[in-house]
Every structure is written in structure tokens, then in C-alpha cells.
Tab-separated table of all heavy atoms in Angstrom:
chain	number	residue	atom	x	y	z
A	1	CYS	N	120.198	119.574	88.458
A	1	CYS	CA	119.127	119.692	89.449
A	1	CYS	C	118.567	118.295	89.696
A	1	CYS	O	117.434	117.988	89.375
A	1	CYS	CB	118.047	120.649	88.917
A	1	CYS	SG	116.820	121.150	90.138
A	2	GLY	N	119.442	117.436	90.258
A	2	GLY	CA	119.136	116.012	90.315
A	2	GLY	C	118.423	115.567	91.561
A	2	GLY	O	118.449	116.224	92.611
A	3	LEU	N	117.817	114.406	91.448
A	3	LEU	CA	117.103	113.762	92.543
A	3	LEU	C	118.061	112.819	93.272
A	3	LEU	O	118.878	112.147	92.640
A	3	LEU	CB	115.930	112.966	91.974
A	3	LEU	CG	114.686	112.743	92.836
A	3	LEU	CD1	114.035	114.064	93.191
A	3	LEU	CD2	113.699	111.846	92.091
A	4	PHE	N	117.974	112.788	94.592
A	4	PHE	CA	118.722	111.795	95.363
A	4	PHE	C	118.012	110.452	95.261
A	4	PHE	O	116.783	110.365	95.364
A	4	PHE	CB	118.816	112.210	96.833
A	4	PHE	CG	119.773	113.338	97.090
A	4	PHE	CD1	119.300	114.623	97.339
A	4	PHE	CD2	121.138	113.119	97.084
A	4	PHE	CE1	120.182	115.664	97.580
A	4	PHE	CE2	122.030	114.163	97.324
A	4	PHE	CZ	121.550	115.432	97.565
A	5	GLN	N	118.806	109.395	95.075
A	5	GLN	CA	118.274	108.038	94.990
A	5	GLN	C	119.094	107.128	95.894
A	5	GLN	O	120.126	107.524	96.424
A	5	GLN	CB	118.342	107.536	93.543
A	5	GLN	CG	117.552	108.372	92.548
A	5	GLN	CD	117.912	108.028	91.121
A	5	GLN	OE1	118.913	108.495	90.590
A	5	GLN	NE2	117.095	107.195	90.492
A	6	GLY	N	118.629	105.893	96.060
A	6	GLY	CA	119.403	104.918	96.825
A	6	GLY	C	118.888	104.760	98.238
A	6	GLY	O	117.678	104.611	98.461
A	7	VAL	N	119.787	104.797	99.221
A	7	VAL	CA	119.423	104.521	100.608
A	7	VAL	C	118.458	105.588	101.126
A	7	VAL	O	118.408	106.710	100.618
A	7	VAL	CB	120.678	104.451	101.512
A	7	VAL	CG1	121.569	103.297	101.097
A	7	VAL	CG2	121.461	105.755	101.465
A	8	ALA	N	117.728	105.230	102.177
A	8	ALA	CA	116.670	106.105	102.695
A	8	ALA	C	117.194	107.468	103.121
A	8	ALA	O	116.536	108.493	102.914
A	8	ALA	CB	115.954	105.416	103.854
A	9	ASP	N	118.386	107.493	103.732
A	9	ASP	CA	118.933	108.775	104.185
A	9	ASP	C	119.145	109.724	103.009
A	9	ASP	O	118.953	110.948	103.143
A	9	ASP	CB	120.260	108.555	104.913
A	9	ASP	CG	120.062	108.028	106.322
A	9	ASP	OD1	118.907	108.055	106.809
A	9	ASP	OD2	121.051	107.583	106.939
A	10	LEU	N	119.558	109.194	101.869
A	10	LEU	CA	119.713	110.038	100.683
A	10	LEU	C	118.360	110.480	100.147
A	10	LEU	O	118.158	111.659	99.824
A	10	LEU	CB	120.485	109.288	99.597
A	10	LEU	CG	122.002	109.216	99.744
A	10	LEU	CD1	122.603	108.325	98.669
A	10	LEU	CD2	122.620	110.610	99.674
A	11	ARG	N	117.427	109.558	100.044
A	11	ARG	CA	116.104	109.900	99.481
A	11	ARG	C	115.409	110.966	100.321
A	11	ARG	O	114.710	111.822	99.780
A	11	ARG	CB	115.228	108.650	99.373
A	11	ARG	CG	115.770	107.586	98.432
A	11	ARG	CD	114.689	106.587	98.047
A	11	ARG	NE	113.990	106.039	99.186
A	11	ARG	CZ	114.374	104.951	99.867
A	11	ARG	NH1	115.500	104.328	99.528
A	11	ARG	NH2	113.659	104.488	100.878
A	12	ARG	N	115.607	110.912	101.625
A	12	ARG	CA	114.970	111.908	102.502
A	12	ARG	C	115.484	113.316	102.207
A	12	ARG	O	114.786	114.300	102.468
A	12	ARG	CB	115.196	111.537	103.972
A	12	ARG	CG	114.229	110.486	104.493
A	12	ARG	CD	114.276	110.389	106.002
A	12	ARG	NE	115.478	109.724	106.458
A	12	ARG	CZ	115.571	108.416	106.683
A	12	ARG	NH1	114.524	107.623	106.477
A	12	ARG	NH2	116.711	107.878	107.114
A	13	ARG	N	116.686	113.425	101.660
A	13	ARG	CA	117.236	114.748	101.363
A	13	ARG	C	116.431	115.467	100.277
A	13	ARG	O	116.500	116.700	100.165
A	13	ARG	CB	118.705	114.632	100.953
A	13	ARG	CG	119.615	114.228	102.099
A	13	ARG	CD	121.067	114.084	101.667
A	13	ARG	NE	121.623	115.345	101.197
A	13	ARG	CZ	122.862	115.481	100.750
A	13	ARG	NH1	123.670	114.419	100.720
A	13	ARG	NH2	123.303	116.653	100.336
A	14	ASN	N	115.684	114.719	99.472
A	14	ASN	CA	114.835	115.357	98.463
A	14	ASN	C	113.759	116.231	99.095
A	14	ASN	O	113.213	117.125	98.433
A	14	ASN	CB	114.170	114.288	97.579
A	14	ASN	CG	115.162	113.531	96.726
A	14	ASN	OD1	116.082	114.122	96.161
A	14	ASN	ND2	114.983	112.222	96.630
A	15	TRP	N	113.437	115.968	100.365
A	15	TRP	CA	112.388	116.715	101.051
A	15	TRP	C	112.939	117.891	101.849
A	15	TRP	O	112.185	118.678	102.413
A	15	TRP	CB	111.608	115.777	101.984
A	15	TRP	CG	110.859	114.726	101.229
A	15	TRP	CD1	111.314	113.496	100.874
A	15	TRP	CD2	109.533	114.825	100.717
A	15	TRP	NE1	110.353	112.816	100.168
A	15	TRP	CE2	109.247	113.604	100.056
A	15	TRP	CE3	108.559	115.824	100.737
A	15	TRP	CZ2	108.028	113.356	99.434
A	15	TRP	CZ3	107.344	115.576	100.122
A	15	TRP	CH2	107.092	114.356	99.484
A	16	ASP	N	114.270	118.011	101.929
A	16	ASP	CA	114.871	119.106	102.689
A	16	ASP	C	114.553	120.455	102.038
A	16	ASP	O	114.374	120.548	100.820
A	16	ASP	CB	116.394	118.939	102.772
A	16	ASP	CG	116.809	117.772	103.639
A	16	ASP	OD1	115.942	117.225	104.352
A	16	ASP	OD2	118.000	117.400	103.594
A	17	ARG	N	114.550	121.481	102.873
A	17	ARG	CA	114.370	122.838	102.353
A	17	ARG	C	115.568	123.211	101.477
A	17	ARG	O	116.723	122.980	101.856
A	17	ARG	CB	114.246	123.814	103.524
A	17	ARG	CG	114.052	125.274	103.117
A	17	ARG	CD	114.149	126.168	104.354
A	17	ARG	NE	114.086	127.580	103.964
A	17	ARG	CZ	112.977	128.299	103.960
A	17	ARG	NH1	111.844	127.748	104.336
A	17	ARG	NH2	113.008	129.560	103.591
A	18	PHE	N	115.288	123.781	100.303
A	18	PHE	CA	116.378	124.185	99.422
A	18	PHE	C	117.126	125.349	100.070
A	18	PHE	O	116.512	126.225	100.690
A	18	PHE	CB	115.833	124.594	98.047
A	18	PHE	CG	116.865	124.557	96.954
A	18	PHE	CD1	117.281	123.353	96.425
A	18	PHE	CD2	117.430	125.728	96.477
A	18	PHE	CE1	118.239	123.298	95.424
A	18	PHE	CE2	118.393	125.701	95.480
A	18	PHE	CZ	118.801	124.470	94.953
A	19	PRO	N	118.479	125.392	99.957
A	19	PRO	CA	119.254	126.371	100.713
A	19	PRO	C	119.097	127.829	100.299
A	19	PRO	O	119.612	128.717	100.973
A	19	PRO	CB	120.708	125.932	100.514
A	19	PRO	CG	120.686	124.795	99.598
A	19	PRO	CD	119.308	124.420	99.279
A	20	CYS	N	118.422	128.100	99.186
A	20	CYS	CA	118.104	129.490	98.844
A	20	CYS	C	116.697	129.522	98.259
A	20	CYS	O	116.138	128.475	97.936
A	20	CYS	CB	119.120	130.075	97.855
A	20	CYS	SG	118.969	129.472	96.162
A	21	ASP	N	116.125	130.704	98.131
A	21	ASP	CA	114.799	130.808	97.536
A	21	ASP	C	114.870	130.395	96.067
A	21	ASP	O	115.702	130.915	95.306
A	21	ASP	CB	114.276	132.241	97.640
A	21	ASP	CG	113.868	132.600	99.062
A	21	ASP	OD1	113.642	131.672	99.862
A	21	ASP	OD2	113.795	133.807	99.365
A	22	ALA	N	114.002	129.473	95.692
A	22	ALA	CA	114.007	129.003	94.304
A	22	ALA	C	113.777	130.151	93.333
A	22	ALA	O	114.309	130.151	92.218
A	22	ALA	CB	112.936	127.926	94.123
A	23	SER	N	113.016	131.150	93.750
A	23	SER	CA	112.716	132.282	92.872
A	23	SER	C	113.939	133.162	92.617
A	23	SER	O	113.942	133.972	91.696
A	23	SER	CB	111.594	133.136	93.477
A	23	SER	OG	111.968	133.617	94.753
A	24	ASP	N	114.993	133.000	93.425
A	24	ASP	CA	116.207	133.799	93.250
A	24	ASP	C	117.181	133.193	92.242
A	24	ASP	O	118.190	133.809	91.915
A	24	ASP	CB	116.929	133.961	94.597
A	24	ASP	CG	116.176	134.881	95.550
A	24	ASP	OD1	115.325	135.651	95.075
A	24	ASP	OD2	116.434	134.810	96.772
A	25	ILE	N	116.897	131.981	91.782
A	25	ILE	CA	117.772	131.337	90.797
A	25	ILE	C	117.361	131.825	89.408
A	25	ILE	O	116.203	131.711	89.014
A	25	ILE	CB	117.675	129.803	90.894
A	25	ILE	CG1	118.126	129.335	92.279
A	25	ILE	CG2	118.517	129.136	89.808
A	25	ILE	CD1	117.917	127.866	92.530
A	26	HIS	N	118.308	132.358	88.668
A	26	HIS	CA	117.994	132.951	87.369
A	26	HIS	C	117.941	131.913	86.248
A	26	HIS	O	117.186	132.080	85.286
A	26	HIS	CB	119.025	134.030	87.021
A	26	HIS	CG	119.068	135.145	88.012
A	26	HIS	ND1	120.090	135.307	88.928
A	26	HIS	CD2	118.194	136.155	88.253
A	26	HIS	CE1	119.837	136.358	89.672
A	26	HIS	NE2	118.707	136.896	89.289
A	27	ALA	N	118.753	130.867	86.344
A	27	ALA	CA	118.784	129.861	85.284
A	27	ALA	C	119.306	128.552	85.848
A	27	ALA	O	120.059	128.532	86.837
A	27	ALA	CB	119.677	130.322	84.121
A	28	ILE	N	118.899	127.460	85.212
A	28	ILE	CA	119.412	126.129	85.537
A	28	ILE	C	120.008	125.545	84.261
A	28	ILE	O	119.358	125.546	83.203
A	28	ILE	CB	118.307	125.200	86.068
A	28	ILE	CG1	117.652	125.796	87.318
A	28	ILE	CG2	118.877	123.812	86.372
A	28	ILE	CD1	116.436	125.012	87.810
A	29	VAL	N	121.233	125.067	84.362
A	29	VAL	CA	121.877	124.368	83.253
A	29	VAL	C	121.792	122.872	83.537
A	29	VAL	O	122.241	122.413	84.598
A	29	VAL	CB	123.358	124.792	83.109
A	29	VAL	CG1	124.031	124.014	81.980
A	29	VAL	CG2	123.460	126.295	82.860
A	30	VAL	N	121.201	122.113	82.622
A	30	VAL	CA	121.068	120.664	82.786
A	30	VAL	C	121.988	119.971	81.792
A	30	VAL	O	121.842	120.142	80.581
A	30	VAL	CB	119.610	120.212	82.582
A	30	VAL	CG1	119.496	118.692	82.687
A	30	VAL	CG2	118.694	120.867	83.613
A	31	THR	N	122.935	119.176	82.311
A	31	THR	CA	123.923	118.547	81.433
A	31	THR	C	123.344	117.373	80.664
A	31	THR	O	123.740	117.129	79.522
A	31	THR	CB	125.153	118.078	82.224
A	31	THR	OG1	124.734	117.132	83.237
A	31	THR	CG2	125.865	119.251	82.875
A	32	HIS	N	122.400	116.638	81.274
A	32	HIS	CA	121.787	115.515	80.553
A	32	HIS	C	120.562	115.035	81.308
A	32	HIS	O	120.244	115.538	82.392
A	32	HIS	CB	122.790	114.390	80.323
A	32	HIS	CG	123.248	113.691	81.567
A	32	HIS	ND1	124.138	114.254	82.449
A	32	HIS	CD2	122.944	112.470	82.070
A	32	HIS	CE1	124.362	113.411	83.439
A	32	HIS	NE2	123.649	112.327	83.242
A	33	ALA	N	119.890	114.041	80.738
A	33	ALA	CA	118.525	113.729	81.147
A	33	ALA	C	118.385	112.575	82.126
A	33	ALA	O	117.299	112.022	82.255
A	33	ALA	CB	117.678	113.430	79.897
A	34	HIS	N	119.435	112.187	82.822
A	34	HIS	CA	119.249	111.168	83.844
A	34	HIS	C	118.667	111.792	85.110
A	34	HIS	O	118.948	112.938	85.447
A	34	HIS	CB	120.570	110.459	84.137
A	34	HIS	CG	120.901	109.378	83.148
A	34	HIS	ND1	122.188	109.069	82.774
A	34	HIS	CD2	120.092	108.536	82.453
A	34	HIS	CE1	122.162	108.078	81.896
A	34	HIS	NE2	120.905	107.745	81.677
């Protein structure tokens, strides 16, 4: 569940609407802490 970094076009994607309702996601698996 990572953050976009780098050029402005990528960073702006952090503000986009998520493609499904966040409440419909049952679990998130995080591989590491970056």
C-alpha cells in the first residue's frame, strides 16, 4: 500500500480516488516498511 514518489505526475496520483471502496478491503499484506 505504497506512496507514489518522484516526479509531480506520480505524486499527484496519491490524491486520486481509490478504485474501490476502502471499506471493502478485508486485509492488507505489507511486505516491508519502505
